[in-house]
Every structure is written in structure tokens, then in C-alpha cells.
Amino acid sequence: MRKWLLLTAAILLEVTATLSLRGAIDHPALYVLVVVGYIGSFTVLALVLRAGLALGVAYGVWGACGVALTAVLAALFFGDPLTAVMGVGIALVIAGVLCVELGAQSARASGSGEEGAAS
């Protein structure tokens, strides 16, 4: 459970940094949040890997959730477009990450996964 909470924190830090990057165009002080957010995100992502989450799963979930959340929040905060086609793309990204996670679970169940080795 700890590794998933850490992964959530890494995602939120990355999304915050990315949205702040957009906001920094008009408010340069936000560049501080950009730097802190990205450094924090990568640091916490490293902790996720140290906690034992497989790299493919961690990076897939981090990347996919970051893209999806950033797209939705950019539409809300900055008026960026969010079309039906984009929604389908986000759903496909999420489905792909789900497939990676299910594959990792299957590998662990069969004993070929090494995720538990670091725990």
C-alpha cells in the first residue's frame, strides 16, 4: 500500500509541476514550483522503485496518470481543448497501463516476477 501512496504523490508532484510550467508563462515566480515539483516527483518515483514496485508498472502508471490528469486539469484551468477523441486516447492509455499491471500481477502469481525481492 505504501508504494501506491508514494506513486500517487509522485504523480501529483509531476502534474503540479507541469501545470505550473504553463502558469509560469504569465507568472514567472511559478518556475520555483516547476523545479521543486519535478525534482520531488523523480525523487518520490525513486522511492517507489525502492519500495519494490516494478519499473514498467511504476513508470506506466506515473506517465499515464500524469498525461490524463494534466489534460483534464489543463482544460479546467487554462481552457485547453478536451475533445471526445482526446477522451478516447486517455481511456486507451489507462487501458494500456491496466494491461501492464495485470501482466505484472500474473507474472508475480506465477513466481517469475521480482517485485517482492526488494520488500
Side-chain angles (χ1 to χ4, degrees):
M1 182 60 145
R2 177 178 179 264
K3 56 190 161 190
W4 291 103
L5 291 174
L6 287 170
L7 186 56
T8 300
I11 292 164
L12 293 175
L13 284 164
E14 189 268 335
V15 169
T16 299
T18 302
L19 293 172
S20 297
L21 184 59
R22 172 72 183 272
I25 295 169
D26 296 322
H27 306 285
L30 288 174
Y31 283 119
V32 172
L33 195 52
V34 172
V35 172
V36 170
Y38 284 133
I39 290 172
S41 180
F42 282 106
T43 301
V44 176
L45 188 59
L47 294 174
V48 169
L49 297 176
R50 182 173 284 168
L53 195 59
L55 177 61
V57 173
Y59 185 72
V61 172
W62 178 75
C65 289
V67 166
L69 194 53
T70 298
V72 170
L73 292 176
L76 291 172
F77 294 147
F78 303 114
D80 284 3
L82 187 59
T83 65
V85 173
M86 293 170 74
V88 169
I90 290 170
L92 289 171
V93 167
I94 292 169
V97 169
L98 181 59
C99 287
V100 170
E101 172 58 19
L102 291 173
Q105 288 179 7
S106 176
R108 285 191 302 271
S110 70
S112 63
E114 297 183 22
E115 183 178 318
S119 297

